[in-house]
Amino acid sequence: MARPDGRGPSQLRPVTLTRGWSTHPEGSVLVEFGGTRVLCTASVTEGVPRWRKGSGLGWVTAEYAMLPRATNTRSDRESVKGRVGGRTHEISRLIGRSLRASIDLKALGENSIVLDCDVLQADGGTRTAAITGAYVALHDAVGWLAARKALVGKPEKVMHRSVAAVSVGIIAGEARLDLCYSEDVAAEVDMNVVCTGAGDFVEVQGTGEAGVFARDQLDSLLDLAVAGCAELAEAQRKALTWARAVSLRAPQS
């Protein structure tokens, strides 16, 4: 069964990471997974939350939001509604947990970094794009601290592993990597996987949307996700090596 955009089942959408997209934050990245575009900014603050003071540990947290017209129809801003939705809370916490897996909080010292991930345009996989882009923004924010000799540990030890994320799912019985929106809503199984650059798992979120799934299906989805995250980790590495942007177009399967 052909995919909506003509990709093979194990092929990522075109991925672009543009560093320095925003002028003011200590780190900023525009990440694009096909039609999904997320602006990730990293803001540094000296000091940590009150409950963390005196611990010698830094803090990394995240906030996620979608612009009102990031999707086909306009949604009210959550600030206007007067409350943050459960989905927004859940994704914000996922991004924060994922990024904390990449950093040595003791080496960071008592500094705080807030990652704001704002979805400009949504076409599936917004949380996985946010994690992948936020890692690069966080890396740049740590570099900003290092340049000011504000770290406790050696700069190269602070970011001790990379973290990326990708969606996988089963549509019409076929395991597919990096679902766009039309695939996501039709998926029999939907999963988001966060991996380190070494292929270890940080978090796996999986649901049988239209029933149950077998162990061999789970294994095939995890294999797809690990391979996809490895490609994303290479794109992150290149983005951090090159001046501003890197694009990744995976070969046809």
Side-chain angles (χ1 to χ4, degrees), residues 54-246:
S55 67
L57 301 174
W59 184 240
V60 172
T61 189
E63 294 185 15
Y64 167 96
M66 295 183 68
L67 293 187
R69 199 57 202 274
T71 58
N72 290 330
T73 57
R74 187 184 186 278
S75 300
D76 290 337
R77 296 180 189 273
E78 291 182 330
S79 60
V80 174
K81 294 178 180 178
R83 62 181 177 83
V84 177
R87 176 180 181 275
T88 299
H89 269 306
E90 184 258 322
I91 295 175
S92 296
R93 294 174 69 181
L94 168 65
I95 298 167
R97 288 194 302 271
S98 299
L99 272 296
R100 286 192 292 274
S102 74
I103 193 166
D104 183 338
L105 294 174
K106 184 174 182 180
L108 180 62
E110 291 199 13
N111 296 296
S112 296
I113 302 176
V114 178
L115 295 153
D116 289 294
C117 300
D118 292 289
V119 180
L120 309 183
Q121 182 170 289
D123 185 23
T126 60
R127 72 186 69 192
T128 55
I131 291 166
T132 302
Y135 167 77
V136 178
L138 177 60
H139 199 287
D140 281 346
V142 169
W144 184 91
L145 283 166
R148 287 154 181 78
K149 302 187 185 304
L151 299 173
V152 173
K154 294 181 179 179
E156 63 273 16
K157 300 293 186 182
V158 178
M159 300 292 290
H160 55 83
R161 61 171 68 95
S162 67
V163 169
V166 74
S167 63
V168 288
I170 296 176
I171 296 92
E174 179 180 64
R176 297 181 185 178
L177 176 68
D178 190 18
L179 308 184
C180 64
Y181 176 74
S182 62
E183 294 176 311
D184 190 22
V185 297
E188 297 141 39
V189 180
D190 182 22
M191 190 174 293
N192 298 297
V193 180
V194 188
C195 282
T196 70
D200 295 322
F201 296 106
V202 178
E203 186 150 344
V204 177
Q205 300 179 329
T207 305
E209 300 284 359
V212 298
F213 53 99
R215 175 60 181 269
D216 63 336
Q217 291 176 307
L218 173 62
D219 290 342
S220 67
L221 289 173
L222 291 177
D223 288 343
L224 264 184
V226 169
C229 284
E231 292 184 63
L232 293 169
E234 178 61 14
Q236 290 171 326
R237 187 192 67 78
K238 289 180 178 177
L240 290 166
T241 301
W242 298 348
R244 286 188 63 82
V246 61

Side-chain angles (χ1 to χ4, degrees), residues 6-13 177 231 248-253:
R7 287 180 289 149
S10 60
Q11 185 178 2
L12 292 168
R13 289 175 286 182
L177 176 68
E231 292 184 63
L248 170 63
R249 295 185 179 272
Q252 293 290 331
S253 300

